[in-house]
Amino acid sequence: EVQLVESGGGVVQPGGSLRLSCAASGFTFDDYAMHWVRQAPGKGLEWVSLISGDGGSTYYADSVKGRFTISRDNSKNSLYLQMNSLRTEDTALYYCAKDSTAMAPGYYFDYWGQGTLVTVSS
Amino acid sequence: QSVLTQPPSVSGAPGQRVTISCTGSSSNIGAGYDVHWYQQLPGTAPKLLIYGNSNRPSGVPDRFSGSKSGTSASLAITGLQAEDEADYYCQSYDSSLSGLKVFGGGTKLTVL
């Protein structure tokens, strides 16, 4: 059974940093690209970032480019999102999502975690 | 403002058929990129409902179907049931933005 468990969310002040983690199990982790997708309170889904299965390719939404960094450790079956220079508009539930393929830009999200909440507030 | 346009809400009585539209442009759906649909039940994570325009993952009832034509796609739900009440999102790829993956704004389905 595929499982994706996010952690690392919390309350942070504007300008602060946070590192999210996603622990994956139930599939061969390095065979698949992985994503972060976020959902602001009461709003829709917004794609944030993608990393290929081998970690060699990364992509970002314009809204986070230069501030967020996606990475993965295939030896630990883990996905990460380093978030710097956080803004109030980054407040959201952050989901880790598995892609159906290994290569970027990926195809569709076939499994999602339950999300971790990031609140940026002074 | 989402790149893909969905109606904010639709409704139907149990047993009825409803459709949810997803309108894009020449840089996404109209360019031939596939459309995928996700169902988000209240308080839960999104779940894949339809992939590759019209394919259902294992376990998704055949009451759910998808189609695509031109710059638009549609999700149809027949034999509406109370447990179908949820938010539905379409998603595709966009070649004009560095954002790659684009979503519709979501449609709230209410079962009357």
Side-chain angles (χ1 to χ4, degrees), chain A residues 37-41 46 88-94 116-120:
Chain A
V37 177
R38 68 185 180 183
Q39 186 170 34
E46 179 189 14
T88 55
E89 55 264 37
D90 294 320
T91 293
L93 188 61
Y94 283 73
T116 186
L117 183 62
V118 172
T119 303
V120 184

Side-chain angles (χ1 to χ4, degrees), chain A residues 2-6 21-24 27 29 32-38 45-51 70 72 79 94-101 106-115, chain B residues 38 45-48 91 101 103:
Chain A
V2 172
Q3 283 199 318
L4 300 170
V5 180
E6 303 93 335
S21 298
C22 172
F27 63 101
F29 187 62
Y32 296 94
M34 297 293 294
H35 304 260
W36 288 100
V37 177
R38 68 185 180 183
L45 301 171
E46 179 189 14
W47 174 79
V48 172
S49 185
L50 152 71
I51 186 166
I70 191 171
R72 64 193 295 161
L79 174 72
Y94 283 73
Y95 293 105
C96 161
K98 173 186 171 292
D99 199 279
S100 57
T101 70
Y107 193 33
Y108 57 86
F109 313 108
D110 55 0
Y111 292 94
W112 300 64
Q114 288 305 302
Chain B
Y38 304 89
K47 168 194 159 187
L48 178 66
Q91 178 255 313
K101 305 295 189 182
F103 285 98

Side-chain angles (χ1 to χ4, degrees), chain A residues 11-74:
Chain A
V11 180
V12 61
Q13 291 189 337
S17 298
L18 214 52
R19 189 194 195 210
L20 305 184
S21 298
C22 172
S25 61
F27 63 101
T28 305
F29 187 62
D30 54 6
D31 277 352
Y32 296 94
M34 297 293 294
H35 304 260
W36 288 100
V37 177
R38 68 185 180 183
Q39 186 170 34
K43 302 296 184 182
L45 301 171
E46 179 189 14
W47 174 79
V48 172
S49 185
L50 152 71
I51 186 166
S52 59
D54 65 1
S57 298
T58 58
Y59 297 85
Y60 301 92
D62 281 348
S63 57
V64 306
K65 197 174 294 183
R67 301 187 299 123
F68 290 11
T69 301
I70 191 171
S71 62
R72 64 193 295 161
D73 185 336
N74 287 345

Side-chain angles (χ1 to χ4, degrees), chain B residues 3-88:
Chain B
V3 174
L4 304 179
T5 301
Q6 297 180 234
S9 63
V10 297
S11 62
Q16 284 190 332
R17 178 181 187 270
V18 296
T19 62
I20 298 172
S21 61
C22 174
T23 303
S25 67
S26 59
S27 64
N28 41 67
I29 299 174
Y33 297 113
D34 287 344
V35 178
H36 319 294
W37 292 89
Y38 304 89
Q39 177 192 58
Q40 187 173 33
L41 296 169
T44 70
K47 168 194 159 187
L48 178 66
L49 194 64
I50 296 287
Y51 67 93
N53 304 316
S54 59
N55 301 291
R56 285 186 308 276
S58 173
V60 173
D62 60 6
R63 302 186 295 104
F64 295 90
S65 62
S67 63
K68 176 190 149 184
S69 178
T71 58
S72 294
S74 288
L75 173 70
I77 310 171
T78 58
L80 208 55
Q81 298 180 4
E83 55 262 37
D84 297 334
E85 188 159 293
D87 293 324
Y88 293 84

Side-chain angles (χ1 to χ4, degrees), chain B residues 84-107:
Chain B
D84 297 334
E85 188 159 293
D87 293 324
Y88 293 84
Y89 294 90
C90 60
Q91 178 255 313
S92 187
Y93 172 88
D94 194 289
S95 60
S96 71
L97 305 172
S98 60
L100 290 187
K101 305 295 189 182
V102 289
F103 285 98
T107 299

